[in-house]
Amino acid sequence: MERVAVIGASMTQFGQREEWVLELLAEAGLECLDDSGVDAADVEHLYVSNMASGEFEGQTGIMNALAHDLDAIPAYTQRIDQTSSSGGAGIYAAWQSVASGASDMTLLVGGEKMTHKTTGEATDVIASLTHPVEYKTGVTLPSFAGLTARHYLERFDAPRDSLAKVAVKNHKNGVDNPNAQFRKEIDEETALESPIVADPLRLYDFCPITDGSAALMLCPEDVAREYTDEYAVITGIDGATDTHVVHEREDPTVMGGVVESGEGAYEMSGLEPEDIDVAELHDMFTILEFLQMEGLGFAEQGEAWKLVEEGYTERDTGELPINTSGGLKSKGHPLGASGVAQAVEIYEQLVGEAGPRQVEADVGLCCNVGGFGNCVITTIMEAAR
């Protein structure tokens, strides 16, 4: 297989945007073309990660429309929908297109427009990814998160404020991300006293509803050297699926898709958890940061909260900085863009373009989760050597 490089990346402002999804996608796509120095006419494959443009806007065919707007015709186009892990699935598809030799220049753009809907309407669209039996009884992803958090805290004797520390950390990191939705620090008291959403989880344990887009440019490593000396290489990537019905899982605190995709990515890259210098995890809910840390081998089962309490995941002082971008918690969660934006942060860390968020890193990992662990993609990237 070809060694696949990332030579450019972009991310729009996340938050409440006036633009519709096609405009957001075009904004990120044009910025990525400029960042990578690639002419639109040289793009051979164009992938668009998007969960629900039809449900949110009544807009379909967005991949073809984007090719037109970017002047990337006649590039092959495809829309990638894998619920809230659509961005990670897009990375996997884009990587496959280059690794297989089918494309020498692949542009991936992820995006979603959500904030024009009410919270109830947006939640209903997202909840449609649950099993029909669960959905018709009113089960939503926040309720799964609350149930899991309660079980985790009681089973592993974890203090409630350990979850608040995740929110505090990620909000602090988001202050230094100019494209983050929330650039405001919070303290533990604020997090712990915010309104209950799904007991024991409160408002600050949840990510916001977000508009935004992000993009990556991928090509073979030998082509990358024609454009730049500063690039990253995807050395490991894998995806996995867990049970659609959450209560059928043997252990609700183990996300099987995270475990399986992580093991596959580690095996492909020849690396181990201790080799990772920086990670972006899917903190749609604070409890998910714990579960992914454990599923990816950064902590033993039931021990992630202790590492967070010890400051292990802090950006400036921790051994493994997690969610230097602010995570979904602070940066925002435009469904189709989130997995791509995770990889944008890792890319910028590896090429030294993360500004005040910069940490010392040669190897980075991102984990994008669909639903409540229903489908997962884990990607490992290394700085060019």
Side-chain angles (χ1 to χ4, degrees), residues 56 79 119 226 229 239 242 289 297 383:
F56 280 120
R79 173 175 169 263
T119 298
E226 299 174 11
D229 294 326
D242 206 342
E289 191 160 314

Side-chain angles (χ1 to χ4, degrees), residues 207-280:
C207 69
I209 294 169
T210 312
D211 305 328
S213 183
L216 298 168
M217 188 70 74
L218 292 79
C219 65
E221 187 173 16
D222 58 349
V223 175
R225 296 191 187 101
E226 299 174 11
Y227 286 86
T228 180
D229 294 326
E230 300 292 331
Y231 59 87
V233 179
I234 297 175
T235 56
I237 187 168
D238 198 13
T241 306
D242 206 342
T243 63
H244 195 184
V245 180
V246 174
H247 70 258
E248 290 182 350
R249 297 175 190 174
E250 184 175 340
D251 186 341
T253 68
V254 175
M255 304 189 88
V258 172
V259 174
E260 293 293 333
S261 66
E263 289 178 350
Y266 287 133
E267 181 178 358
M268 180 183 292
S269 65
L271 299 173
E272 301 290 340
E274 55 267 26
D275 297 317
I276 305 300
D277 299 316
V278 61
E280 287 285 305

Side-chain angles (χ1 to χ4, degrees), residues 164-216:
K165 284 181 168 61
V166 172
V168 170
K169 168 182 67 71
N170 292 349
H171 270 271
K172 182 179 179 181
N173 291 344
V175 170
D176 291 324
N177 186 343
N179 292 317
Q181 184 167 357
F182 295 135
R183 300 184 66 194
K184 178 182 178 181
E185 289 194 47
I186 63 170
D187 56 28
E188 287 184 40
E189 183 179 4
T190 299
L192 291 170
E193 294 184 357
S194 60
I196 291 176
V197 176
D199 189 62
L201 301 183
R202 295 174 177 263
L203 180 65
Y204 280 102
D205 290 295
F206 293 84
C207 69
I209 294 169
T210 312
D211 305 328
S213 183
L216 298 168

Side-chain angles (χ1 to χ4, degrees), residues 149-166 188 192 200-201 205 286-287 290 302-310:
R150 170 66 65 196
H151 179 66
Y152 184 97
L153 296 178
E154 293 181 354
R155 178 179 173 185
F156 299 116
D157 197 26
R160 174 61 184 85
D161 61 5
S162 62
L163 291 172
K165 284 181 168 61
V166 172
E188 287 184 40
L192 291 170
L201 301 183
D205 290 295
T286 52
I287 185 63
F290 289 176
E303 300 287 313
W305 68 269
K306 296 180 181 179
L307 295 184
V308 170
E309 293 261 329
E310 295 166 4

